[in-house]
């Protein structure tokens, strides 16, 4: 009898950068990951209520546990999926804010993102393509391996489970 090859179980952190439909999309990704035997964790960035990053706020913030917790989630995962709407052609402030905080609080900020696979997704009334382009630029700049095909849901492009499954497959390989 031959041995069956061991299957790697991936741990995927799913960042939800808004409430509502993008949080629902993050939960859909999480459920699909679990159905496929992988570990998913949804991190709702809006519920963190992180203070707005400014140089002054950085000097005044004494409890860094919130930012350290987000960094630990990232370091503990094999890959990430980011679900974010388009805000005026860019990413939502909550996502940019948490990245700004991590960039000044981490001793080696790049280790959070270097060579980490990241899948991008957006539910947006504004189309979503600009948000995805902005995220692709930012995460690529940080050293991540951004998956080429995003999941974009809008008025002319409805939810498709097959798109979720394809992105998950690319992220966990």
């Amino acid at each position: 009898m031959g041995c069956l090859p061991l299957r790697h179980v991936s741990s995927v952190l799913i960042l939800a950068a808004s409430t509502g439909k993008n949080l629902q999309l993050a939960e859909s990704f999480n459920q699909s990951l679990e159905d496929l035997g992988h570990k998913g964790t949804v991190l709702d960035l809006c519920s963190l209520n992180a203070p707005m990053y400014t140089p002054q706020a950085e000097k005044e913030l004494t409890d860094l546990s919130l930012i350290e917790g987000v960094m630990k989630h990232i370091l503990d995962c094999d890959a990430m999926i980011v679900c974010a709407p388009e805000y005026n052609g860019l990413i939502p402030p909550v996502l940019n804010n948490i990245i700004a905080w991590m960039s000044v609080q981490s001793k080696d900020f790049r280790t959070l993102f270097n060579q980490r696979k990241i899948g991008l997704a957006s539910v947006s009334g504004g189309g979503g393509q600009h948000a995805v382009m902005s995220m692709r630029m930012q995460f690529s700049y940080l050293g991540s391996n951004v998956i080429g095909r995003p999941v974009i849901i809008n008025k002319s492009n409805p939810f498709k489970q097959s798109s979720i499954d394809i992105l998950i497959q690319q992220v966990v390989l």
Side-chain angles (χ1 to χ4, degrees), residues 84-125:
E86 186 173 306
Y87 277 40
N88 301 311
L90 295 171
I91 64 174
V94 69
L95 178 58
N96 200 48
N97 188 49
I98 202 70
I99 291 171
W101 273 111
M102 290 187 296
S103 73
V104 297
Q105 295 303 321
S106 174
K107 290 179 181 80
D108 188 5
F109 172 63
R110 295 286 181 166
T111 60
L112 295 170
F113 298 99
N114 265 346
Q115 298 182 356
R116 189 170 311 281
K117 281 187 185 179
I118 297 185
L120 304 176
S122 180
V123 180
S124 187

Side-chain angles (χ1 to χ4, degrees), residues 28-164:
S28 294
F29 273 110
N30 190 42
Q31 185 61 56
S32 294
L33 280 161
E34 290 178 7
D35 290 348
L36 294 168
H38 300 285
K39 183 180 182 292
T41 302
V42 174
L43 183 57
D44 175 2
L45 297 179
C46 295
S47 71
L48 297 177
N49 291 318
M52 179 58 68
Y53 175 79
T54 66
Q56 187 63 35
E58 179 185 359
K59 291 175 191 172
E60 295 171 359
L61 187 66
T62 56
D63 181 7
L64 301 175
S65 60
L66 177 89
I67 307 306
E68 290 168 350
V70 174
M71 292 188 296
K72 181 172 177 7
H73 275 299
I74 292 173
L75 289 172
D76 289 347
C77 75
D78 297 315
M80 293 193 315
I81 296 172
V82 183
C83 300
E86 186 173 306
Y87 277 40
N88 301 311
L90 295 171
I91 64 174
V94 69
L95 178 58
N96 200 48
N97 188 49
I98 202 70
I99 291 171
W101 273 111
M102 290 187 296
S103 73
V104 297
Q105 295 303 321
S106 174
K107 290 179 181 80
D108 188 5
F109 172 63
R110 295 286 181 166
T111 60
L112 295 170
F113 298 99
N114 265 346
Q115 298 182 356
R116 189 170 311 281
K117 281 187 185 179
I118 297 185
L120 304 176
S122 180
V123 180
S124 187
Q129 294 85 353
H130 290 101
V132 167
M133 285 189 306
S134 295
M135 288 188 290
R136 182 178 310 285
M137 235 177 1
Q138 187 164 33
F139 287 114
S140 293
Y141 177 80
L142 297 174
S144 301
N145 297 329
V146 181
I147 302 300
R149 182 179 171 187
V151 171
I152 297 176
I153 301 168
N154 54 37
K155 290 179 222 168
S156 61
N157 192 24
F159 176 89
K160 293 182 203 91
Q161 184 63 44
S162 60
S163 296
I164 301 266

